[in-house]
Amino acid sequence: AVVVHANNKCTDTGDAAKATVKKLFLKQLSQWSDGTEAKPYGRDDGSAEQKAFVKDVLGMDDAELARHWLKMKNLNGTTPPKAVDSDRMILKYVAKHDGAFGIVKVDEAKGAEGVKILYEF
């Protein structure tokens, strides 16, 4: 699931939520629709969560994602979102920052304080 800060005002659902998350994660957009700066968190490349996110939400494979970040770095110095190795740490970071979002197992997100599920995949 993609989790966001509990105060996130994004009302997108389904494919619209997926499209918004994709643009924010790939840093093609830097702000949520309400103007809050987006702060994406990824997972370690080898994790099941990251693999599923890249395939199902981004619609890419690892090589395409690597090329995207290389291109972004060369164009304007943009780097990939910080990779975090556990659901617990993602939930902690997302709960702490207004525009933050990250990828966690659905079961971990349910009932977690300070976050809400924006999109399940």
Side-chain angles (χ1 to χ4, degrees):
V2 174
V3 292
V4 295
H5 188 276
N7 294 338
N8 189 300
K9 307 244 186 311
C10 183
T11 56
D12 294 342
T13 57
D15 288 344
K18 185 176 176 178
T20 299
V21 166
K22 179 178 179 175
K23 287 178 183 165
L24 290 169
F25 188 86
L26 294 175
K27 298 188 178 179
Q28 295 164 331
L29 284 178
S30 61
Q31 299 177 335
W32 291 95
S33 57
D34 68 354
T36 305
E37 182 183 346
K39 192 166 182 63
Y41 290 98
R43 297 300 294 265
D44 292 333
D45 287 340
S47 73
E49 296 88 350
Q50 184 72 10
K51 286 181 183 297
F53 178 76
V54 170
K55 180 177 178 269
D56 298 341
V57 178
L58 302 183
M60 304 170 115
D61 61 32
D62 290 341
E64 289 171 312
L65 186 59
R67 281 194 298 277
H68 169 78
W69 291 120
L70 187 61
K71 180 178 157 193
M72 293 295 280
K73 176 99 174 132
N74 289 333
L75 281 175
N76 55 18
T78 301
T79 56
K82 177 179 175 157
V84 180
D85 65 359
S86 75
D87 288 339
R88 191 175 59 78
M89 290 307 293
I90 289 266
L91 293 168
K92 184 177 172 183
Y93 289 145
V94 172
K96 192 174 176 181
H97 302 287
D98 273 357
F101 68 96
I103 308 144
V104 297
K105 291 181 193 84
V106 174
D107 293 347
E108 296 291 326
K110 290 184 177 161
E113 264 184 58
V115 303
K116 65 182 179 182
I117 295 173
L118 177 68
Y119 181 81
E120 288 186 31
F121 61 92

